[in-house]
Amino acid sequence: MQIDFAAQIEELKARVSSLEQGGQENKLSMVVFSGDLDRALASFIIATGAAAMGMEVMLFFTFWGTPLLRGPGKTAVGKDLMGTMFGAMLPKGAGGARLSKMNFAGLGTSMMQGLMAKKNMASLPEMIVLAGELGIKICVCELSMSLMGFKREEMIDYPDLMYCGVATFLEQAMGSKIQLFI
Amino acid sequence: MQIDFAAQIEELKARVSSLEQGGQENKLSMVVFSGDLDRALASFIIATGAAAMGMEVMLFFTFWGTPLLRGPGKTAVGKDLMGTMFGAMLPKGAGGARLSKMNFAGLGTSMMQGLMAKKNMASLPEMIVLAGELGIKICVCELSMSLMGFKREEMIDYPDLMYCGVATFLEQAMGSKIQLFI
Amino acid sequence: MQIDFAAQIEELKARVSSLEQGGQENKLSMVVFSGDLDRALASFIIATGAAAMGMEVMLFFTFWGTPLLRGPGKTAVGKDLMGTMFGAMLPKGAGGARLSKMNFAGLGTSMMQGLMAKKNMASLPEMIVLAGELGIKICVCELSMSLMGFKREEMIDYPDLMYCGVATFLEQAMGSKIQLFI
């Protein structure tokens, strides 16, 4: 009988280990695809809220989200024609993001920013600084960097900034309780 | 030997309890960020579908999604200039939502609504009523209410309507099997 | 004492089984709602990346995503007026998708497509073929097909194409570690 217990306990241990390894942690993984001010604000409100609650947070910036991370005073040399064009047309950092609706040639965006300041809400660039202080990890999509011709020396100084591909996002997302695409 | 079994069983119990507490329930948590008719329809089709399958559903309305919950015949007094402007510019309830594409100054939206009626599909305002009957919980983002100057007396009558912040969404989402941002 | 062990082990087994049944597999379920070239590309980069990592992948095409699956050389007969209009106005397959921003009457889209070819990236139609080879399952939303008046004979030849409703998506999503709405 005792041998029977031992075998059953071993079997249970293996099943529990398997469940533990496959489990999802108190982590949030988010794809920041959009470069619109409203969606970017939503990303950072969710991300900093999660970090404040003790969750580990990873943001994966791709496509239109990528230029949000350009450093305002930074430049890069040796760009090809396409990279120079994209560089000129896309917002130069989070401060240049616009509302997806009711932008009205920038007026709606300025109104929203004024309103946020009046309500003592952090601006998008301020939220990015806060995110860094809270230990939020940022991954920038290498494919988007390459497509848009961005160079690493153009990007903001951020405590935990990495350059990675979709596989890194997927690995993180699989082990996260919450995943969002914004 | 028996003491050994007891210890192993206790250890397993603790690990299983930990897994159970960290587990995600048959719940769906969704951020309704968009105020576009097409995306709002998708939210409610997914939400009511999930509720019909026995899932617990929580919708978190934020940013452009917030005005979808304005009550058509409702008004509020004591608004400041900004709140009055937002109030005038944003759709007055779900009936005022427009398609994100092919709107054609409202013509495309009317065509889609006519088509939905012809196919016996519920309209967006009807789906919101259905959602209430199915026990779907709605949380309205307090920050969006404050930014857009909306007051609670302007919002629809809905059985299970709460006002909350991002922390409430994150707590619900962590315990949900499905989380979406729309 | 031995009876006590047996009972405790049985109780643990039941709890572990319950955890195992409620668990989420290495699966990715994604709603492809958008028909924009940029968002569709993101969907397929994530989907093929996940499949290459050994994950099971299911894409649920709905609303504006549906016309991405129209076969370029395919036609259908017996359409009503509305179906004919939608058919004429919506892109005829993945090759007709446009950027959500910086489209500039097609110029931005062509520039992006040229850039992708130069960087040896697969085009959207090529990625759909690759997805089929990788065993990615595609579900097309029946409600969207009906609303837009599309017929099955118009859709692309794809190895694992099904027509289904939101319940199928939700069932798959509940058992998936990652769910995204794009």
Side-chain angles (χ1 to χ4, degrees), chain B residues 2-118:
Chain B
Q2 292 210 347
I3 292 158
D4 186 42
F5 284 148
Q8 288 183 54
I9 288 173
E10 282 316 306
E11 191 222 316
L12 273 168
K13 276 187 192 166
R15 286 163 69 189
V16 169
S17 290
S18 158
L19 283 167
E20 283 166 345
Q21 277 159 26
Q24 295 181 319
E25 293 168 70
N26 282 344
K27 264 167 72 174
L28 163 69
S29 297
M30 191 154 39
V31 180
V32 184
F33 171 93
S34 171
D36 296 325
L37 177 61
D38 38 19
R39 292 195 167 242
L41 280 173
S43 307
F44 277 93
I45 290 171
I46 293 173
T48 53
M53 285 164 73
M55 295 181 81
E56 200 184 317
V57 182
M58 195 273 258
L59 304 178
F60 182 73
F61 277 74
T62 187
F63 230 95
W64 310 114
T66 317
L68 294 176
L69 299 178
R70 294 168 83 193
K74 301 218 175 181
T75 48
V77 290
K79 288 203 175 196
D80 60 12
L81 178 67
M82 216 66 158
T84 309
M85 280 179 64
F86 267 111
M89 283 157 63
L90 290 167
K92 196 146 169 63
R98 296 282 167 258
L99 287 178
S100 66
K101 313 252 163 190
M102 290 173 49
N103 182 40
F104 302 135
L107 189 69
T109 297
S110 301
M111 265 176 59
M112 180 61 74
Q113 285 164 333
L115 202 52
M116 283 168 62
K118 205 179 136 196

Side-chain angles (χ1 to χ4, degrees), chain A residues 13 17 38 101 115 177, chain B residues 8 15 22 36 64 147 179:
Chain A
K13 276 187 191 167
S17 290
D38 39 18
K101 313 255 163 187
L115 202 52
K177 286 206 174 161
Chain B
Q8 288 183 54
R15 286 163 69 189
D36 296 325
W64 310 114
L147 262 183
Q179 313 97 26

